[in-house]
Amino acid sequence: MKLKKILTGLMVMAVALSLTLYGTAPVEGATNSIQKSVTAEKAIKGTELKNIRVGGDAKHTRIVMDLSSAKKFNYAFENNNTRLVINIDGVYTAMKAAPDTNRGAVKDLILATYGDTVQLIVDMKVPVPVKVYPLKNPDRVVIDLINEYEEETSNQVEAGLLYGKYVRFDSRGMLTAYTLEVDPQKFDIRMVLPGGEVTQGLGKLSTIAQKYNAVAAVNGGYFDWSGTFLIGDVRINGTTVGMVPEERSGLINKRDGSYDVGKASYSGTVTINGQGISFWGVNSPRGKDAVILYNRLYGTHTGTNEFGKEFVIRHNSVAAINNGNSEIPPDGAVVSVHGQSLEYFKNVRVGDRAEIIESFGEAIPDNVDFYGAGPQLVKNGRVDVTSYNEGIANDIANGRAPRTAVGIKPNGHVILMVVDGRQSHSIGATLPEMGQLLIKYGADRGVNFDGGGSSEMVINNQIVTSPSGGTERKIGNALVVVRK
């Protein structure tokens, strides 16, 4: 019996080899057997995924999965909505991979099979609107992605305070901006220091907002990482907090409660016994041969070393002369001098008449506060970026980054704007783009503030933006919105 089975098997193999080599037609019984085998195999495999096609135009990308017959499918989003996973059960395919594509919002297509399940992964550059649906005649699954779109939402925080969010996606990538329109009839916008004095150091925006009981807040102007001085022309409650030698743009807080954008050009002098000496800086570290003015917004003491001389000024008179770390009087200031500049003060004595005069330039009246940063972004309703004229550093002036800006509308309302950057949901903005966004929201004047990891907005003690560093950065000052 075993021998008979072996011989039978060899005969079958010989017939099959003969058919293969010589194309000899099989007998009728063998034909029926082969056809039944193929039919059974198709029945087991089910529907075939025949092809994957990619097309579309500048605003849309379409991916089509061609099927031999209709099949139910399911899909889900992963990776913060940047990955679409489509599964179709009971499907087989001879395809080894999806077509290569880098079109519109699509970064990559990945095809995989798991038993009788076919899976297509659509990796996207950023989260975009996606529609997945079946079509018939012929049967197929269609994935439509929008390559360009704009979406705006707004919500009234309370009367006089309107919060908005703007999302745009185009060939440049995705951008997400946040706006806060403030009615100055109901709210004040003030620049504040984290601890009330420069030397109190840096602080997180959310903490600053709570400290000043602010309804909302955004980061303010430039500051040094040491937390010991501001970088910009700043006047708070009539007192100079910092200065820079260049003309710089900023937000003007007028005494009547209205706001404007202007450019400051700081100058300051102390005149003792008829001789006027210019300040090299205000509330900043005293360098070689420098003449620095310290006032009470700096702190209680100058913190300087003994290698200089300091003149305490009160009521237009030299009240005291010290070598260093002088106490700063609440009703006066300290002029701190080092090196060669001491020659100008060699004959000064206690009791000598001394007068301090400061100005922020012709465009900024003496009776207003000024929150400087720069550069200007919008003038007379048009984009007008003045980075070069204001001496703005290249890392601020050029390229895309998280940004913070302030605009003024013709009706006097103030727009506080923050753009996220360096993240999948937002590529950041250039300075001209910030100007365009301010104009989009109605501003006819606008100015840039500090950006990068500092850019942030807080509303009702909630962080509504996404700081690029992943967490809040400590900052040197902030713009807070408080109820009148």
Side-chain angles (χ1 to χ4, degrees), residues 5-15:
K5 286 182 179 180
I6 292 172
L7 291 173
T8 302
L10 290 173
M11 290 174 64
V12 172
M13 290 175 64
V15 171

Side-chain angles (χ1 to χ4, degrees), residues 136-153:
K136 298 187 68 64
N137 299 321
D139 292 305
R140 58 206 186 275
V141 176
V142 179
I143 305 105
D144 282 337
L145 302 92
I146 298 179
N147 296 334
E148 293 188 5
Y149 70 93
E150 286 185 309
E151 182 180 64
E152 296 180 56
T153 58

Side-chain angles (χ1 to χ4, degrees), residues 241-444:
V241 187
M243 60 79 71
V244 287
E246 304 89 356
E247 182 181 63
R248 287 285 177 89
S249 297
L251 180 66
I252 304 171
N253 183 350
K254 299 181 178 180
R255 287 291 174 259
D256 64 2
S258 65
Y259 297 85
D260 203 351
V261 169
K263 291 183 180 179
S265 180
Y266 176 86
S267 63
T269 60
V270 57
T271 300
I272 304 179
N273 296 330
Q275 179 174 256
I277 308 298
S278 296
F279 300 130
W280 294 29
V282 178
N283 292 335
S284 58
R286 187 191 66 198
K288 181 181 179 181
D289 301 326
V291 180
I292 306 296
L293 174 67
Y294 293 99
N295 57 49
R296 199 53 187 266
L297 281 182
Y298 183 72
T300 59
H301 291 75
T302 62
T304 54
N305 58 37
E306 69 276 16
F307 304 112
K309 198 170 289 290
E310 297 186 332
F311 304 88
V312 180
I313 312 297
R314 295 184 62 206
H315 309 302
N316 292 332
S317 176
V318 178
I321 301 175
N322 306 311
N323 288 329
N325 197 26
S326 298
E327 183 177 354
I328 305 172
D331 57 350
V334 175
V335 178
S336 185
V337 187
H338 179 269
Q340 295 184 15
S341 294
L342 284 168
E343 182 68 20
Y344 299 108
F345 296 86
K346 64 181 180 180
N347 296 320
V348 175
R349 301 290 183 267
V350 173
D352 286 350
R353 178 171 174 77
E355 184 179 14
I356 294 173
I357 298 177
E358 296 179 281
S359 171
F360 274 47
E362 295 181 1
I364 312 298
D366 292 336
N367 64 342
V368 305
D369 283 352
F370 185 79
Y371 312 142
Q376 171 187 282
L377 299 176
V378 177
K379 183 178 181 180
N380 297 326
R382 305 182 70 174
V383 174
D384 187 1
V385 180
T386 56
S387 298
Y388 179 79
N389 293 339
E390 298 188 34
I392 301 298
N394 289 335
D395 62 334
I396 298 172
N398 302 323
R400 296 185 177 279
R403 305 277 187 184
T404 299
V406 177
I408 311 294
K409 298 178 67 173
N411 65 0
H413 285 199
V414 180
I415 301 169
L416 306 179
M417 178 177 288
V418 174
V419 169
D420 283 342
R422 302 168 184 162
Q423 299 171 79
S424 62
H425 72 281
S426 190
I427 58 175
T430 65
L431 290 179
E433 286 174 346
M434 287 299 288
Q436 292 166 1
L437 287 170
L438 288 175
I439 292 171
K440 174 182 176 62
Y441 279 86
D444 62 359

Side-chain angles (χ1 to χ4, degrees), residues 14 29 54 87 123 162 175 188 203 226 256 263-264 276 281 346 354 360 374 381 391 420 426 446 455 463 465 475 477:
V54 181
N87 292 301
D123 270 337
L162 183 67
L175 180 141
D188 286 328
S226 66
D256 64 2
K263 291 183 180 179
K346 64 181 180 180
F360 274 47
D420 283 342
S426 190
S455 285
I463 301 170
T465 55
I475 54 179
N477 60 84

